[in-house]
Amino acid sequence: MSKRVLTTESGAPVADNQNSASAGVGGPLLLQDQHLLEKLARFNRERIPERVVHARGSGAYGYFEVTDDVTGFTRADFLSTVGRRTEVFLRFSTVADSLGGADAVRDPRGFAVKFYTEEGNYDLVGNNTPVFFIKDPIKFPDFIHSQKRDPFTGRQEPDSVWDFWAHAPEATHQVTWLMGDRGIPASYRHMNGYGSHTYQWTNAEGAAFFVKYHFKTNQGVRSLSAEQAAELAGKDPNSHQTDLLQAIERGVNPSWTLHVQIMPAAEAADYRFNPFDLTKVWPHRDYPLQRVGRLVLDRNPDNVFAEVEQAAFSPNNFVPGIGPSPDKMLQGRLFAYADAHRYRLGVNHTLLAVNAPKATTAQNYGRDGLMAANPQGRHAKNYEPNSYDGPVETGRPLSAPLAVTGHTGTHEAPLHTKDDDFYQAGELYRLMSQEERQRLVANIAGGLSQVSRDDVIEKNLAHFHAADPEYGKRVEEAVRALRED
């Protein structure tokens, strides 16, 4: 059987792939060696800008299967029939570190799901925590800057990390999550996923509901202690990637059960705290979990770069029956995520295989730009309306309109009767066992005791005291003990 012929990118056969062309034996190399120049030029361009956040990730394909009827709450077609399956791609990630970081670190985890529905791709971009550190996107660049490597030391600095949190009391709830027992998942398979934000569902009659997504792992939640994580990160920095890859290759397909909390839209205005505040959860006694379906991962990508690194998720990719809420952080991400992909991958990134619709065909008037690969024929027009049978609008919004009132300006979120930055952090602390509290306090004190400024330490301690007196007292005593050693 004859072997295939190696060619250049233009298709010309390559005579010698072992030796560069030179001016005589042992002489300098020749500029005319197109094969050498092409290989070196491509090699220099094999990397693209990494994500500013969520840079280190893993992913897999699978399906979502509807198990319960939710048609009373949404007209989304892929959720319309019990038993219906939709292909998905799920990308897991750490948040703060770079592409070269380790998997087993104390950090939130991204949990981004792309549903390849027959009405277009629906992207649900969430985390493994139901809350986040901030509630307004204008603070997001500052927050991430405080968590990234210091320009002088080249490492994450406790002074910057805790100084930002000292000035962001709303972060106390998420800090309690992060420093608790679930702060370092044992693997991507053994953690829950959350939409975190509040989204809107609209049913066939036009009634609107606000929802929160909860993906509960069917493998059980398992986490690592700080000591276990440090050891694992040193032995195998790719531990979570290795675990996910090998599990699926063995046929041990991880799965999650999707539940939602559902709030009738009319109840949002008078709810006791702002239901669109990303630093807060909705108590289950107010809005119980309702099961929707099952998500299963059963196929690994063939090429991590092409399908994981180039996967582009954007929370503004909605489908009919699902839309945004007034959640400020969500509103900011509707722009920021899509813009990040236009920068990293180009304006035609949705034509890449992992990002393109699979159950339908994208039909629009986008044309040209870097890496355009969508020729529409000599008679196609790239304007609308036209007289040439081009695609047309439906006239039916994807979701119900959101009511707005008042004057433009930089407003704080409207206050509800029970809005508070500390109560839910205290509730989370009081749910913990004594052993969990002890580990939480030790994790916080281990970082906070390294801060060089006393005033920054005092501001953070005040947040824990406000959440729960015992919580604050124990952290304060632990920090003092470590600083006196």
Side-chain angles (χ1 to χ4, degrees):
M1 181 178 178
S2 61
K3 293 185 178 180
R4 292 179 297 143
V5 173
L6 175 67
T7 74
T8 65
E9 293 182 25
S10 62
V14 173
D16 190 342
N17 193 43
Q18 317 306 318
N19 303 286
S20 304
S22 63
V25 177
L29 302 187
L30 299 177
L31 188 63
Q32 71 184 41
D33 189 346
Q34 182 237 358
H35 182 49
L36 169 65
L37 301 186
E38 185 176 84
K39 286 184 73 174
L40 294 180
R42 168 166 284 280
F43 180 75
N44 286 339
R45 292 162 175 79
E46 284 181 354
R47 295 295 173 264
I48 60 176
E50 70 174 46
R51 292 167 170 86
V52 177
V53 289
H54 298 280
R56 182 173 181 81
S58 302
Y61 294 94
Y63 63 87
F64 178 78
E65 181 177 8
V66 179
T67 58
D68 294 78
D69 182 9
V70 291
T71 54
F73 306 107
T74 178
R75 62 184 177 95
D77 185 61
F78 79 102
L79 298 175
S80 63
T81 307
V82 172
R84 184 167 185 172
R85 289 188 176 185
T86 299
E87 184 178 356
V88 301
F89 181 78
L90 198 161
R91 185 178 187 270
F92 306 97
S93 56
T94 54
V95 174
D97 212 346
S98 62
L99 191 56
D103 287 341
V105 294
R106 189 173 297 279
D107 197 16
R109 299 300 192 276
F111 193 99
V113 188
K114 186 180 295 291
F115 299 84
Y116 298 102
T117 89
E118 294 182 7
E119 295 181 301
N121 290 351
Y122 170 46
D123 290 352
L124 180 57
V125 182
N127 285 324
N128 72 325
T129 61
V131 293
F132 197 61
F133 299 93
I134 54 176
K135 62 182 75 174
D136 193 304
I138 204 167
K139 298 179 72 173
F140 188 75
D142 301 293
F143 165 61
I144 294 301
H145 289 164
S146 75
Q147 310 297 301
K148 286 289 189 177
R149 296 174 185 268
D150 182 85
F152 173 65
T153 66
R155 65 183 188 182
Q156 190 182 59
E157 289 294 342
D159 275 359
S160 299
V161 170
W162 289 95
D163 185 40
F164 181 88
W165 289 341
H167 292 88
E170 69 270 27
T172 308
H173 192 186
Q174 173 72 317
V175 170
T176 305
W177 267 91
L178 180 62
M179 297 298 173
D181 280 359
R182 296 192 181 188
I184 313 177
S187 79
Y188 290 132
R189 298 183 295 128
H190 294 93
M191 68 181 196
N192 294 334
Y194 302 88
S196 302
H197 296 290
T198 301
Y199 294 90
Q200 186 204 74
W201 277 6
T202 309
N203 67 16
E205 290 72 41
F209 304 85
F210 292 119
V211 300
K212 282 186 175 288
Y213 295 88
H214 300 248
F215 291 88
K216 299 293 188 178
T217 175
N218 294 325
Q219 292 69 239
V221 173
R222 286 178 49 201
S223 303
L224 301 173
S225 68
E227 295 75 21
Q228 290 172 324
E231 181 179 358
L232 181 58
K235 287 182 177 179
D236 181 10
N238 306 299
S239 58
H240 289 26
Q241 162 68 14
T242 301
D243 176 85
L244 181 67
L245 174 76
Q246 293 181 350
I248 294 175
E249 288 298 292
R250 296 194 311 269
V252 182
N253 298 328
S255 65
W256 289 259
T257 299
L258 173 60
H259 302 263
V260 292
Q261 290 177 283
I262 300 176
M263 173 189 292
E267 296 181 11
D270 297 323
Y271 193 53
R272 63 181 181 277
F273 59 82
N274 182 0
F276 311 115
D277 181 346
L278 185 55
T279 68
K280 294 181 174 61
V281 298
W282 297 355
H284 291 184
R285 63 180 176 273
D286 293 346
Y287 298 101
L289 295 180
Q290 301 188 44
R291 193 177 66 176
V292 180
R294 185 172 65 117
L295 186 153
V296 179
L297 299 181
D298 59 7
R299 179 166 66 89
N300 283 309
D302 293 323
N303 185 297
V304 172
F305 176 81
E307 300 167 84
V308 179
E309 182 65 11
Q310 291 194 127
F313 297 85
S314 182
N316 60 5
N317 288 342
F318 293 113
V319 292
I322 304 177
S325 78
D327 180 334
K328 283 189 173 185
M329 284 295 294
L330 173 59
Q331 291 285 325
R333 283 175 167 149
L334 297 181
F335 163 75
Y337 275 62
D339 189 58
H341 304 314
R342 295 184 192 107
Y343 162 66
R344 295 182 61 246
L345 304 170
V347 71
N348 288 304
H349 66 273
T350 56
L351 303 180
L352 296 169
V354 69
N355 300 321
K358 295 183 183 296
T360 186
T361 301
Q363 300 184 82
N364 54 59
Y365 295 95
R367 183 184 288 183
D368 305 336
L370 187 67
M371 300 298 291
N374 55 339
Q376 299 165 344
R378 68 178 64 182
H379 299 301
K381 306 301 179 185
N382 65 337
Y383 57 86
E384 196 278 336
N386 63 59
S387 304
Y388 295 84
D389 198 29
V392 297
E393 63 197 21
T394 67
R396 189 178 187 189
L398 301 186
S399 57
L402 299 172
V404 295
T405 59
H407 301 283
T408 60
T410 54
H411 303 290
E412 294 184 5
L415 285 177
H416 292 235
T417 56
K418 297 293 184 181
D419 273 329
D420 178 272
D421 288 329
F422 307 109
Y423 178 75
Q424 289 199 351
E427 287 280 272
L428 180 58
Y429 176 80
R430 290 184 285 275
L431 283 174
M432 296 179 180
S433 67
Q434 285 301 322
E435 292 77 15
E436 289 174 316
R437 294 181 188 184
Q438 184 175 349
R439 290 189 291 269
L440 169 68
V441 169
N443 290 332
I444 293 174
L448 189 54
S449 63
Q450 299 178 53
V451 174
S452 61
R453 290 183 51 153
D454 291 342
D455 61 323
V456 173
I457 294 175
E458 291 302 321
K459 286 177 182 175
N460 278 285
L461 290 175
H463 297 167
F464 301 124
H465 279 290
D468 183 275
E470 179 196 293
Y471 187 10
K473 182 174 182 289
R474 292 178 66 169
V475 172
E476 184 172 4
E477 290 174 349
V479 169
R480 183 185 303 115
L482 288 173
R483 286 169 64 84
E484 288 173 352
D485 284 348

